[in-house]
Amino acid sequence: MATELPETMTAMGFDEPGEPEVLRSEKLALPVAGENQVLIKVSHAGVNRPDVFQRKGSYPPPPGASPIPGLEVSGQVVAIGKGVAPEMLNRRVCALVNGGGYAEYCIAHERHCLSVPANMDMAQAAAIPETLFTVWHNVFERGFAMDGETLLVHGGTSGIGTMAIQLAKAYALRVVTTAGGEEKCKAAKELGADLAVNYKTEDFVEKVNEFTNGRGADVILDMVSGDYVQRNLDCLAVEGRHVTIAALGGAKAEINMAKLMSKRQTMTGSTLRPRSDEFKALLGDEIRKNVWSLFEDGTVAPVMDQKFSLTDAAAAHARMEEGDHIGKIVLEVRAEN
């Protein structure tokens, strides 16, 4: 069900893995919405670390997903597939997608979409889904974070970090974060972090234990892994929960199991992209029920770094890899209506 749609679209892809410069524009046939899917005329697309890994060849898309990079978009629903309510047509949405975001049109599951409030611009909307779904699931569903507890989140000025800080504060947690430099630590504290540790000059284990009077953090959201894991456990509380969502510092870790057992600590982790459509749909339902109102009233908002045009995706990737960004990088696919 569609009207006045082009046959082709511009998208960003690459022939072989490599540096940002391998990204190039191409003309592709317009995707077609299947059962329970919508076709979104993309306004903006979020840029995320998994996109960089995909471009480098280390994070291939799951079976059936678009080979085009991009895990989140904002835009207008212009066509719907079988089983989708007609009122979805023309709705402004942001969506978590399995791939295909770096394009003028993108397919999304209808229950992976969130309605964009009138007071939110579409660049901001595109910066929300991937980090929101990830943080909600890992901090609150896997990490069982509760009000009054202390959360340690590494990479506090990343997209994930800025989202985690705000959501944790909205749910009355105390937040400790790490960041690489005084400017980033200042930005994290302005977002609400109770303590920001410059990991380049300070020992976060010492600082967390000092801040909590020796108790340690109740939940740790870790994107580093590697040799951070044992250090995390050394400042994780008795009955604390350690949640891993990335392994930027290495996929393998050596830990002291005797210490873990004595403190009854729990270790878990997850990756979002390979999960089933039904899992993500249920997660979307939970977010609409429990969290989305915080974005509608402005209590939580994405921290925005820089905006690049769709065809300048290589520069956006270079910006991310440089590590100087604070908040989210987005691609502008078309000017706002």
Side-chain angles (χ1 to χ4, degrees):
M1 183 175 180
T3 57
E4 300 180 7
L5 295 177
E7 294 182 357
T8 62
M9 65 176 184
T10 298
M12 298 302 294
F14 55 92
D15 297 313
E16 297 291 338
E19 296 303 307
E21 294 71 27
V22 301
L23 290 168
R24 46 93 183 118
S25 63
E26 57 185 342
K27 285 290 183 181
L28 298 175
L30 213 66
V32 177
E35 187 172 1
N36 299 320
Q37 293 180 333
V38 299
L39 178 66
I40 298 171
K41 184 178 181 180
V42 178
S43 171
H44 292 78
V47 176
N48 294 285
R49 188 71 61 175
D51 305 342
V52 172
F53 293 150
Q54 180 176 335
R55 189 208 75 228
K56 290 181 172 182
S58 59
Y59 191 57
S66 170
I68 301 167
L71 301 178
E72 58 186 349
V73 298
S74 66
Q76 182 182 26
V77 175
V78 293
I80 59 175
K82 181 181 178 181
V84 179
E87 53 264 30
M88 281 293 288
L89 268 177
N90 300 315
R91 184 173 296 181
R92 286 185 359 138
V93 298
C94 58
L96 181 74
V97 297
N98 292 331
Y102 292 12
E104 292 180 313
Y105 292 83
C106 182
I107 293 292
H109 190 290
E110 64 161 333
R111 286 171 63 195
H112 303 173
C113 297
L114 301 165
S115 294
V116 176
N119 62 345
M120 181 185 293
D121 70 52
M122 297 301 270
Q124 283 187 309
I128 294 173
E130 198 271 342
T131 53
L132 175 56
F133 276 64
T134 298
V135 170
W136 181 255
H137 176 56
N138 287 285
V139 173
F140 295 95
E141 294 186 342
R142 299 193 74 83
F144 301 103
M146 295 179 286
D147 60 301
E149 292 191 322
T150 298
L151 168 72
L152 168 60
V153 55
H154 291 295
T157 55
S158 67
I160 292 287
T162 53
M163 179 66 70
I165 291 169
Q166 292 184 81
L167 282 181
K169 295 308 296 182
Y171 282 88
L173 276 80
R174 297 198 305 169
V175 179
V176 180
T177 189
T178 61
E182 294 307 316
E183 180 184 357
K184 289 188 173 185
C185 286
K186 180 182 177 183
K189 293 191 74 171
E190 289 174 350
L191 270 179
D194 298 281
L195 175 68
V197 180
N198 182 347
Y199 66 79
K200 294 182 177 180
T201 60
E202 300 175 299
D203 180 357
F204 74 82
V205 176
E206 177 183 322
K207 292 295 182 179
V208 169
N209 285 328
E210 180 182 296
F211 178 75
T212 59
N213 295 317
R215 185 177 189 278
D218 299 285
V219 181
I220 296 179
L221 183 64
D222 181 40
M223 296 171 271
V224 183
S225 200
D227 62 7
Y228 261 46
V229 177
Q230 184 58 56
R231 296 174 68 195
N232 286 335
L233 296 177
D234 288 343
C235 62
L236 184 64
V238 172
E239 305 283 2
R241 289 84 70 196
H242 181 286
V243 188
T244 300
I245 59 170
L248 299 177
K252 295 183 178 181
E254 183 174 323
I255 64 172
N256 186 323
M257 293 302 296
K259 286 185 177 181
L260 180 144
M261 291 186 294
S262 68
K263 295 174 74 174
R264 301 183 299 281
Q265 295 166 333
T266 299
M267 298 186 71
T268 185
S270 73
T271 54
L272 182 59
R273 190 180 191 186
R275 300 298 294 270
S276 69
D277 283 346
E278 181 59 22
F279 169 82
K280 294 174 189 174
L282 292 171
L283 186 52
D285 293 344
E286 287 294 311
I287 286 169
R288 276 184 289 273
K289 178 181 177 181
N290 296 297
V291 191
W292 194 236
S293 62
L294 297 174
F295 293 85
E296 292 174 330
D297 67 15
T299 299
V300 179
V303 176
M304 307 300 289
D305 182 74
Q306 286 190 26
K307 184 164 56 177
F308 297 83
S309 68
L310 174 64
T311 54
D312 208 13
H317 276 220
R319 170 72 176 166
M320 174 159 281
E321 290 190 84
E322 287 164 2
D324 295 329
H325 62 289
I326 295 176
K328 293 286 294 198
I329 300 167
V330 299
L331 302 177
E332 183 177 73
V333 179
R334 52 175 52 86
E336 298 215 23
N337 296 333

